[in-house]
Amino acid sequence: MAQFEEVSKKSALHPKPNGLMLQYGTAGFRSIASHLDHVMFRMGLLATLRSKKTKSSIGVMVTASHNPEEDNGVKLIDPMGEMVTPAWEGYATQLANAEQEALCTVLKDIIEKEAVDMNEAASVVTGRDTRPSSENLSRAVLDGVSCLEGLSLDFGLVTTPQLHYIVLCRNTDGCYGTATTQGYYEKLSKAFIELTTNAPGRTDDQKRLLLDGANGIGALKMREMAAFLKSELLVELFNDGSSGRLNYQCGADYVKVQQKPPQGMHMGPGQRCCSFDGDADRIVYYYNDTAGCFHLLDGDKIATLISTYLKELLTQAGLNLQVAVVQTAYANGSSTHYLENIMKVTVCCTKTGVKHLHHAAQEFDIGVYFEANGHGTVLFSKRAEEQIRQLTKDPNASDEKKHASKLLESTMNLINQATGDAISDMLLIEAVLAIREMTVQEWDAIYTDLPSRQLKVKVADRNVIETTDAERRAVTPAGLQDSIDALVKKYNKARAFVRPSGTEDIVRVYAEADTQENVDDLAHQVSLAVHRLAGGV
């Protein structure tokens, strides 16, 4: 076929470095940018096949999120804006690692296995972050698409969630929204302004938010979004990309891990601040108290704020819909206790990784999920959407029920249900705080996090550790879970678990207890048990 001749010819312009092996993981491919040209070309090929197979637009995002500036990466976006299915993750790994002379054979195998009709039209939507390497790597993707005669639509500089949104819009015939960044800004800003009209007494000081853009694409896009928000939110941008390196001593990951403000952020006592990560799909909030002490409000606090707000509105609207919060084992025990025992919100725990959380959230009427790192969103079932929208139009509904249903409808429109979205999540948090007339300190005081500690233990082979119960209990090696259980019993409000890293031979240890001294001791003792029983090096 002429298409395969073109693939052979063009792939020579995107050669694979000798011996380089990469794995398509939760975040797609990530590596040093100079290693990725061949991967990008091949993901252009794969996205075109996926588009032909699904008869839908497929997204390809060139980004390495919170990684250092010299890295880059790529991930594919499936028709409903979700991550690509596991089988196609496997194909991505096979294609990326195929030697030059075997590339067409691997390609043909995928076509045969998936019964792809090569005469079917294909549409691939691409976007990229602000890394210096992203533009050239994006061109390599487009090369791959053109080889298999796919139609490409390059949106250039966009946040990762914006590309997810655009893919979803294109594949729902505009029912979800207009498939452009302009459409994204218009939909979100309209919903945000509708919500904040319910908090008419806000002062300019209460509307003011300090934002760390991680010197990335999020800062660029917030400048564009600001024009649509009018004066309903006054965002002061720091680390806006005009100077400073992407993710260097700034951004959501830095703030979460280091537990301190980003460099370059000028925050006064009590001022509400937040940070995006490099591709604007994560967000964390924070502030300094009057004593200069730093307070972080991570994904657990965000999920708690949003889920309790939604539950209250559903009660006011008289709608019998279940709100559930999906957590991982890393969620702070205080958040789980507060949700389950105080607010009576359903909590379910799943394995670490956004795809697991997203899938679990789809099982409920309204599923709220946020990883502790600040990546998350809210998913509404078709049933929930229909009931909410019907109630807004019901002439027999009381004023209170109608008001609550309209708030719920605007909230749905503000949320990017395709994926975690820092801009959308930020606007939602700001709207909820405004409607509830809450300060960031009052939000923080809803519950107090238990002290926690995370450690890593190097082992000869991470595969000796197998886990169950959403990674909260170790099945192997023999005796390890018994040792952990015995150690946990020695401390108040304690829990601990271990899980193998997905990428390197280390075991991650997580512990909680009533004091920092106790949790540090517990984490250390569990690490020694791992070292002793799991082949520490």
Side-chain angles (χ1 to χ4, degrees), residues 1-12 41 104 107-108 147-148:
M1 278 172 76
Q3 287 177 336
F4 292 113
E5 286 172 24
E6 186 69 6
V7 169
S8 291
K9 193 169 79 178
K10 281 275 180 74
S11 70
F41 171 73
C104 285
L107 210 55
K108 285 171 187 172
C147 272
L148 295 179

Side-chain angles (χ1 to χ4, degrees), residues 193-201 403 406-407 410 434-437:
I193 290 164
E194 282 171 359
L195 286 170
T196 53
T197 54
N198 294 278
H403 177 70
K406 282 181 177 170
L407 285 174
S410 295
I435 291 165
R436 284 182 153 186
E437 297 182 347

Side-chain angles (χ1 to χ4, degrees), residues 9 34 101 137 162 219 305 452:
K9 193 169 79 178
S34 57
E101 58 278 6
L137 291 176
Q162 284 177 332
L305 178 75
S452 64

